[in-house]
Amino acid sequence: MTIQIDHLHKSYGSGAEAHEVLHDINLTIDSGEVFGILGSSGAGKSTLVRCINLLERPTSGKVLIDGRDITGAKGKELADVRAGIGMIFQNFSLFQQRTVLRNVTFPLELNHTPKAKREERARYLLDLVGLADLADRYPSQLSGGQQQRVAIARALANNPSIMLCDEATSALDSTTTAQILDLLRRINRELNVTLVVITHSLSVARNICDRVAMIDGGRIVEMGDTEELFANP
Ligand code: ADP
Ligand code: ADP
């Protein structure tokens, strides 16, 4: 799905305490694209992505998905927007008390998918991410790379068309990072999931992103095709 961000501003706090952290962000992420949001810590990357899945609301401006303005979505519309967007994080955010299988079935429990169906879907996804044999383990029994694979399977449970990856490889070593980036690329191509990749790492951006927006101090300072942006002069 196409994500369009139109004159977005975001402030935290209000009145005299208000502090604007995103200033007039404009960008379009095309359906099927791997789009990078690159910037140092505190630049505003997470805030921007949280405005896409509506964990935060913009102070002004709009977010459109496939041309539909979702900025004020509530109730069922909000639930539908969230279900269409998977999310993965640096720290994996798995449920420690649940097995791998029951981490992946969790989003399907929330929307009351029947038990047999959610297990079938979870086993399919665990196979896709290469963890079919580990379904009955607990997260603490897995490596970091394996835990991120579980989180990816969970993020795909509701068949989203967009996946937001927030520093998803920042806690992993370089070999594991390369494997996770390969998996994300495969998900982008084979399942046609649009990927938004937030990273502070130039090498992650160069490895996986078709296009990149660089953010500094809450503003887009550079945007374009990865190859052109990083071409040696
Ligand atoms: P990044 O993801 O690039 O590290 P963030 O979006 O997390 O940047 O943060 C951007 C700025 O917004 C920072 O100055 C941060 O301190 C501030 N910020 C983030 N979340 C909040 C919040 N919930 N309340 C107040 N300020 C926040
Ligand atoms: P909290 O909101 O206190 O962080 P939750 O139990 O709601 O705790 O969620 C913990 C983690 O589980 C979240 O950070 C998220 O990664 C994941 N999570 C929660 N709800 C869902 C969901 N519907 N689908 C996938 N992952 C989810």
Side-chain angles (χ1 to χ4, degrees):
M1 291 206 195
T2 303
I3 305 168
Q4 207 178 326
I5 296 174
D6 184 26
H7 293 295
L8 184 148
H9 292 252
K10 174 68 186 176
S11 300
Y12 288 112
S14 58
E17 305 286 298
H19 171 54
E20 188 168 281
V21 299
L22 291 176
H23 318 284
D24 198 30
I25 303 288
N26 294 285
L27 58 87
T28 299
I29 300 173
D30 293 323
S31 188
E33 192 168 37
V34 182
F35 191 92
I37 296 177
L38 184 64
S40 53
S41 180
K45 305 181 297 295
S46 295
T47 301
L48 179 56
V49 161
R50 290 165 68 85
C51 287
I52 296 175
N53 65 6
L54 301 181
L55 287 174
E56 295 285 354
R57 300 290 174 151
T59 307
S60 64
K62 287 182 195 167
V63 179
L64 300 103
I65 294 187
D66 273 353
R68 189 160 59 100
D69 184 354
I70 60 157
T71 321
K74 293 198 217 35
K76 179 166 187 328
E77 190 186 14
L78 177 61
D80 288 347
V81 168
R82 292 239 176 96
I85 302 179
M87 193 144 187
I88 58 171
F89 307 92
Q90 176 168 2
N91 62 4
F92 322 127
S93 298
L94 297 177
F95 301 108
Q96 299 301 318
Q97 311 301 329
R98 285 176 166 246
T99 62
V100 164
L101 183 77
R102 293 192 63 245
N103 266 277
V104 182
T105 58
F106 176 77
L108 302 168
E109 290 169 32
L110 289 186
N111 60 21
H112 311 295
T113 305
K115 186 161 193 271
K117 235 188 143 148
R118 55 183 198 245
E119 292 209 4
E120 184 190 326
R121 172 94 183 133
R123 289 193 190 279
Y124 161 79
L125 289 168
L126 286 172
D127 189 46
L128 181 84
V129 302
L131 294 183
D133 296 341
L134 302 182
D136 296 327
R137 300 266 187 103
Y138 285 86
S140 62
Q141 299 173 302
L142 305 182
S143 69
Q146 289 169 335
Q147 290 187 55
Q148 194 60 292
R149 286 171 191 271
V150 177
I152 290 168
R154 183 179 64 185
L156 292 172
N158 279 313
N159 205 12
S161 45
I162 297 168
M163 191 145 120
L164 307 177
C165 311
D166 191 349
E167 300 284 3
T169 55
S170 297
L172 305 175
D173 63 44
S174 59
T175 307
T176 311
T177 292
Q179 291 165 349
I180 294 292
L181 294 179
D182 281 350
L183 175 62
L184 291 173
R185 247 304 178 199
R186 198 151 67 76
I187 286 164
N188 166 251
R189 293 207 181 114
E190 292 176 16
L191 305 182
N192 194 31
V193 176
T194 304
L195 298 183
V196 182
V197 175
I198 304 185
T199 184
H200 68 275
S201 160
L202 281 172
S203 72
V204 166
R206 292 181 79 150
N207 177 307
I208 191 172
C209 298
D210 302 318
R211 281 197 305 145
V212 171
M214 287 192 215
I215 299 198
D216 188 27
R219 293 175 204 278
I220 295 180
V221 293
E222 197 109 46
M223 179 154 56
D225 288 346
T226 311
E227 282 181 21
E228 288 168 21
L229 276 187
F230 295 121
N232 291 318

